[in-house]
Coordinates of all heavy atoms in Angstrom, one line a residue:
A1 N -0.4 -9.0 17.7 CA 0.9 -9.5 18.2 C 1.5 -10.6 17.4 O 2.7 -10.6 17.1 CB 0.7 -10.0 19.7
G2 N 0.7 -11.5 16.9 CA 1.1 -12.6 16.1 C 1.7 -12.1 14.8 O 2.8 -12.6 14.3
A3 N 1.1 -11.1 14.2 CA 1.6 -10.5 13.0 C 2.9 -9.8 13.2 O 3.8 -9.9 12.4 CB 0.5 -9.6 12.4
V4 N 3.0 -9.0 14.3 CA 4.2 -8.3 14.6 C 5.3 -9.2 14.9 O 6.5 -9.0 14.4 CB 4.0 -7.3 15.7 CG1 5.3 -6.6 16.2 CG2 3.0 -6.2 15.4
I5 N 5.1 -10.2 15.7 CA 6.1 -11.2 16.0 C 6.6 -11.9 14.7 O 7.8 -12.2 14.5 CB 5.6 -12.3 17.0 CG1 5.4 -11.6 18.4 CG2 6.6 -13.4 17.2 CD1 4.7 -12.4 19.4
G6 N 5.6 -12.3 13.9 CA 6.0 -12.9 12.6 C 6.9 -12.0 11.8 O 7.8 -12.4 11.2
L7 N 6.6 -10.7 11.8 CA 7.4 -9.8 11.0 C 8.8 -9.6 11.7 O 9.8 -9.5 11.0 CB 6.7 -8.4 11.0 CG 5.4 -8.3 10.1 CD1 4.8 -6.9 10.3 CD2 5.7 -8.5 8.7
L8 N 8.8 -9.7 13.0 CA 10.1 -9.6 13.7 C 11.0 -10.9 13.4 O 12.2 -10.7 13.2 CB 9.9 -9.6 15.2 CG 9.4 -8.2 15.8 CD1 9.0 -8.4 17.2 CD2 10.5 -7.2 15.6
V9 N 10.3 -12.0 13.4 CA 11.1 -13.3 13.2 C 11.5 -13.4 11.7 O 12.7 -13.7 11.4 CB 10.2 -14.5 13.6 CG1 11.0 -15.8 13.2 CG2 10.0 -14.5 15.1
M10 N 10.6 -13.2 10.8 CA 10.8 -13.4 9.4 C 11.3 -12.2 8.6 O 11.9 -12.2 7.6 CB 9.5 -13.9 8.7 CG 9.0 -15.2 9.3 SD 7.5 -15.8 8.6 CE 8.1 -16.3 7.0
H11 N 11.1 -11.0 9.2 CA 11.4 -9.7 8.7 C 11.5 -9.7 7.1 O 12.5 -9.5 6.5 CB 12.8 -9.1 9.2 CG 13.9 -10.1 9.2 ND1 14.7 -10.3 8.1 CD2 14.4 -10.9 10.2 CE1 15.6 -11.2 8.4 NE2 15.5 -11.6 9.7
P12 N 10.3 -9.9 6.5 CA 10.2 -10.0 5.1 C 10.4 -8.6 4.4 O 10.2 -7.6 5.0 CB 8.8 -10.5 4.8 CG 8.0 -10.0 6.0 CD 9.0 -10.0 7.1
S13 N 10.7 -8.6 3.2 CA 10.8 -7.4 2.4 C 9.5 -7.0 1.8 O 8.6 -7.9 1.5 CB 11.9 -7.6 1.2 OG 13.1 -7.8 1.8
I14 N 9.3 -5.7 1.6 CA 8.1 -5.3 0.9 C 8.3 -5.4 -0.6 O 9.1 -4.7 -1.2 CB 7.7 -3.8 1.3 CG1 7.6 -3.7 2.8 CG2 6.5 -3.3 0.6 CD1 6.4 -4.5 3.4
N15 N 7.6 -6.3 -1.2 CA 7.8 -6.6 -2.6 C 6.9 -5.7 -3.6 O 7.0 -5.8 -4.8 CB 7.5 -8.1 -2.9 CG 8.4 -9.0 -2.2 OD1 9.6 -8.7 -2.1 ND2 7.9 -10.1 -1.6
L16 N 6.1 -4.9 -3.0 CA 5.3 -4.0 -3.8 C 6.1 -2.8 -4.2 O 7.1 -2.4 -3.6 CB 4.1 -3.5 -3.0 CG 3.0 -4.5 -2.7 CD1 2.1 -4.0 -1.6 CD2 2.2 -4.9 -3.9
P17 N 5.7 -2.1 -5.3 CA 6.4 -0.9 -5.7 C 6.2 0.2 -4.7 O 5.2 0.3 -4.0 CB 5.7 -0.5 -7.0 CG 5.0 -1.7 -7.5 CD 4.7 -2.5 -6.3
V18 N 7.2 1.1 -4.6 CA 7.1 2.2 -3.6 C 5.9 3.1 -4.1 O 5.1 3.5 -3.3 CB 8.4 3.0 -3.6 CG1 8.3 4.2 -2.7 CG2 9.5 2.1 -3.2
V19 N 5.9 3.5 -5.3 CA 4.8 4.3 -5.9 C 4.6 3.7 -7.3 O 5.5 3.4 -8.0 CB 5.2 5.8 -6.0 CG1 4.0 6.6 -6.6 CG2 5.5 6.3 -4.7
T20 N 3.3 3.6 -7.7 CA 3.0 3.1 -9.0 C 2.6 4.3 -10.0 O 3.5 4.7 -10.7 CB 1.8 2.1 -9.0 OG1 0.7 2.7 -8.3 CG2 2.2 0.9 -8.2
S21 N 1.4 4.7 -9.9 CA 0.9 5.8 -10.8 C -0.2 6.5 -10.2 O -0.9 6.0 -9.3 CB 0.5 5.2 -12.1 OG -0.1 6.2 -13.0
F22 N -0.4 7.8 -10.6 CA -1.5 8.6 -10.1 C -2.9 8.0 -10.6 O -3.9 8.1 -9.9 CB -1.4 10.0 -10.5 CG -2.4 11.0 -9.9 CD1 -2.2 11.5 -8.6 CD2 -3.6 11.3 -10.6 CE1 -3.1 12.3 -8.1 CE2 -4.5 12.1 -10.0 CZ -4.3 12.7 -8.7
N23 N -2.8 7.4 -11.7 CA -4.0 6.8 -12.3 C -3.8 5.3 -12.5 O -2.9 4.9 -13.3 CB -4.3 7.4 -13.7 CG -5.7 7.0 -14.3 OD1 -6.1 5.9 -14.0 ND2 -6.3 7.8 -15.1
V24 N -4.5 4.5 -11.8 CA -4.4 3.0 -11.9 C -5.7 2.4 -12.3 O -6.7 2.4 -11.6 CB -4.0 2.4 -10.5 CG1 -3.9 0.9 -10.6 CG2 -2.7 3.0 -10.1
N25 N -5.8 1.9 -13.6 CA -7.0 1.3 -14.1 C -8.2 2.3 -14.0 O -9.3 1.8 -13.6 CB -7.3 0.0 -13.4 CG -6.2 -1.0 -13.6 OD1 -5.6 -1.1 -14.7 ND2 -5.9 -1.8 -12.6
G26 N -8.0 3.5 -14.3 CA -9.1 4.5 -14.2 C -9.4 5.1 -12.8 O -10.2 5.9 -12.7
K27 N -8.7 4.6 -11.8 CA -8.9 5.1 -10.5 C -7.8 6.0 -10.1 O -6.6 5.7 -10.1 CB -8.9 3.9 -9.5 CG -10.1 3.0 -9.7 CD -10.1 1.8 -8.7 CE -11.3 0.9 -8.9 NZ -11.4 -0.2 -7.9
M28 N -8.2 7.3 -9.7 CA -7.2 8.3 -9.4 C -6.8 8.3 -8.0 O -7.6 8.0 -7.1 CB -7.8 9.7 -9.8 CG -8.4 9.8 -11.1 SD -7.2 9.6 -12.5 CE -6.4 11.2 -12.4
L29 N -5.5 8.5 -7.7 CA -5.0 8.5 -6.4 C -5.8 9.5 -5.5 O -6.1 9.2 -4.4 CB -3.5 8.9 -6.4 CG -2.8 8.7 -5.0 CD1 -1.3 8.3 -5.2 CD2 -2.8 10.1 -4.3
F30 N -6.1 10.6 -6.1 CA -7.0 11.6 -5.4 C -8.3 11.5 -6.2 O -8.3 11.7 -7.4 CB -6.5 13.0 -5.4 CG -7.5 13.9 -4.7 CD1 -7.4 14.2 -3.4 CD2 -8.5 14.6 -5.4 CE1 -8.3 15.0 -2.7 CE2 -9.4 15.4 -4.8 CZ -9.3 15.7 -3.5
P31 N -9.4 11.1 -5.6 CA -9.6 10.9 -4.1 C -9.6 9.5 -3.6 O -9.8 9.3 -2.4 CB -11.1 11.4 -4.0 CG -11.7 10.9 -5.2 CD -10.7 11.0 -6.3
M32 N -9.3 8.5 -4.5 CA -9.5 7.1 -4.1 C -8.7 6.6 -3.0 O -9.1 5.8 -2.1 CB -9.3 6.2 -5.3 CG -10.4 6.4 -6.4 SD -12.1 6.3 -5.8 CE -12.1 4.6 -5.1
L33 N -7.4 7.1 -2.9 CA -6.6 6.6 -1.7 C -7.2 7.0 -0.4 O -7.2 6.2 0.5 CB -5.2 7.3 -1.9 CG -4.2 7.0 -0.7 CD1 -3.8 5.6 -0.6 CD2 -3.0 7.9 -0.8
F34 N -7.7 8.2 -0.3 CA -8.2 8.7 0.9 C -9.6 8.2 1.3 O -10.1 8.3 2.4 CB -8.3 10.3 0.9 CG -6.9 10.9 0.5 CD1 -6.7 11.2 -0.8 CD2 -6.0 11.0 1.5 CE1 -5.4 11.7 -1.2 CE2 -4.7 11.6 1.1 CZ -4.5 11.9 -0.2
V35 N -10.3 7.6 0.3 CA -11.6 7.0 0.5 C -11.4 5.5 0.8 O -12.1 4.9 1.7 CB -12.5 7.2 -0.7 CG1 -13.8 6.3 -0.5 CG2 -12.9 8.6 -0.9
T36 N -10.4 4.9 0.1 CA -10.2 3.5 0.3 C -9.6 3.2 1.7 O -10.0 2.2 2.3 CB -9.1 3.0 -0.8 OG1 -9.7 3.3 -2.1 CG2 -8.9 1.5 -0.7
I37 N -8.6 4.0 2.1 CA -8.1 3.8 3.5 C -8.9 4.8 4.4 O -8.6 6.0 4.5 CB -6.6 4.1 3.6 CG1 -5.8 3.2 2.6 CG2 -6.1 3.9 5.0 CD1 -4.3 3.4 2.7
A38 N -9.9 4.2 5.0 CA -10.7 5.0 6.0 C -10.3 4.6 7.4 O -9.5 5.3 8.1 CB -12.2 4.8 5.8

């Protein structure tokens, strides 16, 4: 709730890129994305 309220009050922008690359420092989006976010 604190995080959501903070986002509501400050409504910050997402400063990260929308998409970077399929290969980031030798780590492939498949399968690493689906293993990293479990």
Side-chain angles (χ1 to χ4, degrees):
V4 172
I5 291 171
L7 292 173
L8 286 171
V9 173
M10 302 179 71
H11 48 83
S13 297
I14 301 296
N15 298 319
L16 290 167
V18 178
V19 181
T20 55
S21 172
F22 187 84
N23 186 334
V24 179
N25 298 324
K27 295 181 179 180
M28 311 295 286
L29 187 145
F30 181 89
M32 291 311 298
L33 173 68
F34 306 95
V35 172
T36 303
I37 302 180

